[in-house]
Amino acid sequence: MVRLTLDLIAKSFSQKNRRDDSLAQHLRKITHLKLSNKNIDVIDDLSLCKNLNVLYLYDNQIRQIHNLDFATNLRHLYLQNNCITRIENLTSLIKLEKLYLGGNYITVVEGLENLEELREVHVESQQLPLGEKLLFDPRSLHSLASLSVLNISNNNIDELRELAVLKNISHLIAVDNQLHSVKDMEFVLSVWTQLCKIELNGNPVCHKPKYRDRLILQSKSLESLDGKEIKEMERQFLMNWKASRDARKKNRAESTTSEHVPHTHLDNNDTDHPHFPIYYFPLAKEKPNFAILSEAHRSPHSRESQSAAHEENKVTKKVSHLALNSPQKSRKELHEPHLLS
């Protein structure tokens, strides 16, 4: 194995690049250091590299992040494809903007509390124990208010609600996980108002009915879904369709409500639909063959109706008298009331 030392760094530079500077002077000037794929397993003291902005240490055998306290000017740190098991010892990197840790053995995203300038975190494809998923320390999540890009692909993640605190995220890469709930996705999209791109290929949720339509409708800021651009015409069509569907639902709901309203007016005798009492006159042990409506319930609003009611009252009394004396005769005269006068 190889230790990352100042001597190793010195060997990576040619005499031509150093010119007349001493090694110490040159180390203080360097801003970019590329030492990838060197079988490095330990980071030694690099405190002379105070102006380092970018450090490439990917594709090595590094097991622990340490001895980077000197790098207060470091902006980009590449540590992917190593043997790192824990995110630690980064609190001094106050200017760090991009952190690449994909392809390690990390089980919890943690140790990022003081990195207020951090814009990108890449922790994809961790070598997790069988059946486990990548976890997130709430303290680190709440401190990443400035985070705009997050790559958590291939980590057995099955829900995103805990990431809703990342209010300023603009690009999420979460392919090849176990995300399955469209509602879960709609929830985080309603919170991520700055989100422009999201990649979810390889998740079960991608096969749910109307998956793409529902996510586009939920996020007005989204410009690309699963690598496919969202055109304004597509969004407008879906918005019109949703408005039409909602209108139909509203009409159906109103119709159902009106059908269940009780018709109380039918029980009010003072309305336009009164109940008329009916009087029966028995005819000598025979079943009644006619009925007379009471004139008390007829409309009294005209002289003609009052006159008709008076005449009907006379006929009723006459018929009642005949019914008691001669059933056969009264039946005949009932059908010929003009002969009674």
Side-chain angles (χ1 to χ4, degrees), residues 247-261:
R248 290 196 301 270
K249 284 185 177 180
K250 183 178 179 181
N251 290 337
R252 285 198 296 268
E254 290 177 351
S255 299
T256 303
T257 302
S258 63
E259 288 176 2
H260 289 82
V261 173

Side-chain angles (χ1 to χ4, degrees), residues 176-219:
D176 296 330
N177 279 297
Q178 298 301 320
L179 301 171
H180 60 275
S181 173
V182 178
K183 287 186 177 181
D184 180 50
M185 297 307 308
E186 289 177 324
F187 171 76
V188 292
L189 288 180
S190 68
V191 178
W192 293 339
T193 57
Q194 306 298 320
L195 190 68
C196 296
K197 296 181 180 180
I198 186 168
E199 298 169 36
L200 301 171
N201 311 79
N203 283 278
V205 70
C206 298
H207 304 293
K208 295 297 180 70
K210 298 189 181 299
Y211 149 77
R212 181 178 174 86
D213 295 349
R214 290 174 63 176
L215 266 58
I216 293 175
L217 285 170
Q218 186 61 53
S219 175

Side-chain angles (χ1 to χ4, degrees), residues 9 35 49 59 76 150 171 176 195 207 229 259 290 316:
I9 296 174
L35 292 168
C49 305
D59 294 338
H76 300 173
L150 178 61
H171 186 188
D176 296 330
L195 190 68
H207 304 293
E229 180 186 1
E259 288 176 2
F290 62 92
T316 301

Side-chain angles (χ1 to χ4, degrees), residues 287-303:
K287 293 183 179 180
N289 294 319
F290 62 92
I292 304 300
L293 294 178
S294 170
E295 54 87 17
H297 291 274
R298 299 187 181 275
S299 174
H301 298 299
S302 67
R303 292 184 176 179

